[in-house]
Amino acid sequence: EIVLTQSPATLSVSPGERATLSCRASQSVSINVAWYQHKPGQAPRLLISGASTRATGLPARFSGSGSGTDFTLTISSVQSEDFAVYYCQQYNDWPPLTFGGGTKVEIK
Amino acid sequence: QVQLQESGPGLVRPSETLSLTCAVSDNSISSPYYWAWIRQSPGKGLEWIAIIYYSGTTYYSPSLKSRGTISFDMSKKHISLRLTSVTATDTALYYCARGRGPVFDSWGQGTLVTVSS
């Protein structure tokens, strides 16, 4: 089973600042990584697939990068609506599909 | 935009069987999509538990230890999950999700299941 480790667990940022979230895989997953945003009481939202392909309608301030074992989700200028928990997911070697433990982006 | 609506019993007693249903608003249940159940235990992250492709192929998380069955009913446009011999560790918010590949671009709001006597 491929284990995804996300860091940091919590990221405190001020609106307008840049946020950089990391996801590291226990073995290579090529570019088969997706990122989701999850707010309390809401359904998770797909942001990125294929490590860097933005979902339809996703603001350009969100970007994904990486390949192999190291992946990054960047929010170039955090807006108030971006405070949430972010999960990475690998789909290179499954089953099982696996998610990282999440990074909570909170207001500083 | 497809709508997914999960439903379930809310409360299940330990050792009993949990049955969940996901209602799909459009006809995509008969199109080449993956349909999955993903859960979130209290205070924890997302955990994939089962998936079914429109062809009927199914896969399960090893964590279910063969207790789970995912299925669909195209006539009713439902995806179902059956989980036997539940324990407190099965207490979670259960989500239904859809994706072209095993990447999920549509999710339901989730249904909360508590396992307790």
Side-chain angles (χ1 to χ4, degrees):
Chain A
E1 173 176 326
I2 294 176
V3 176
L4 300 180
T5 302
Q6 290 189 242
S7 61
T10 302
L11 183 61
S12 299
V13 296
S14 299
E17 287 186 339
R18 184 182 191 88
T20 303
L21 289 66
S22 173
C23 175
R24 177 164 289 179
S26 58
Q27 63 190 74
S28 177
V29 293
S30 185
I31 59 167
N32 295 312
V33 164
W35 290 91
Y36 300 87
Q37 178 192 67
H38 194 197
K39 297 179 181 179
Q42 297 187 19
R45 174 192 181 190
L46 175 66
L47 302 178
I48 302 281
S49 61
S52 62
T53 301
R54 277 199 296 273
T56 303
L58 185 68
R61 64 180 181 272
F62 289 91
S63 63
S65 64
S67 65
T69 60
D70 290 306
F71 300 86
T72 301
L73 176 70
T74 301
I75 310 172
S76 60
S77 176
V78 174
Q79 305 300 302
S80 58
E81 61 266 31
D82 301 335
F83 294 102
V85 180
Y86 292 82
Y87 295 95
C88 57
Q89 176 219 330
Q90 71 81 23
Y91 51 100
N92 188 68
D93 184 8
W94 68 284
L97 295 168
T98 51
F99 290 88
T103 291
K104 181 180 181 180
V105 176
E106 64 174 24
I107 300 174
K108 189 173 182 180
Chain B
Q1 178 94 6
V2 67
Q3 303 295 321
L4 306 178
Q5 181 65 59
E6 304 91 341
S7 60
L11 179 65
V12 185
R13 298 189 188 282
S15 80
E16 293 189 342
T17 295
L18 167 65
S19 294
L20 300 174
T21 298
C22 172
V24 181
S25 65
D26 65 10
N27 292 316
S28 60
I29 195 169
S30 55
S31 298
Y33 284 99
Y34 286 90
W35 302 88
W37 286 96
I38 294 160
R39 68 185 180 184
Q40 183 176 33
S41 300
K44 302 248 178 112
L46 300 174
E47 178 192 14
W48 167 76
I49 54 176
I51 196 167
I52 186 167
Y53 191 47
Y54 87 118
S55 62
T57 302
T58 59
Y59 298 101
Y60 299 93
S61 169
S63 69
L64 291 189
K65 298 185 176 67
S66 304
R67 297 185 296 124
T69 303
I70 187 172
S71 61
F72 55 63
D73 184 328
M74 287 193 182
S75 64
K76 294 182 179 178
K77 297 195 287 186
H78 282 176
I79 309 295
S80 298
L81 178 71
R82 188 169 175 268
L83 191 59
T84 62
S85 304
V86 298
T87 70
T89 59
D90 295 309
T91 293
L93 183 58
Y94 285 76
Y95 292 101
C96 172
R98 185 195 80 170
R100 278 288 183 188
V103 173
F104 307 107
D105 58 5
S106 298
W107 296 65
Q109 293 295 315
T111 187
L112 182 62
V113 174
T114 301
V115 179
S116 175
S117 55

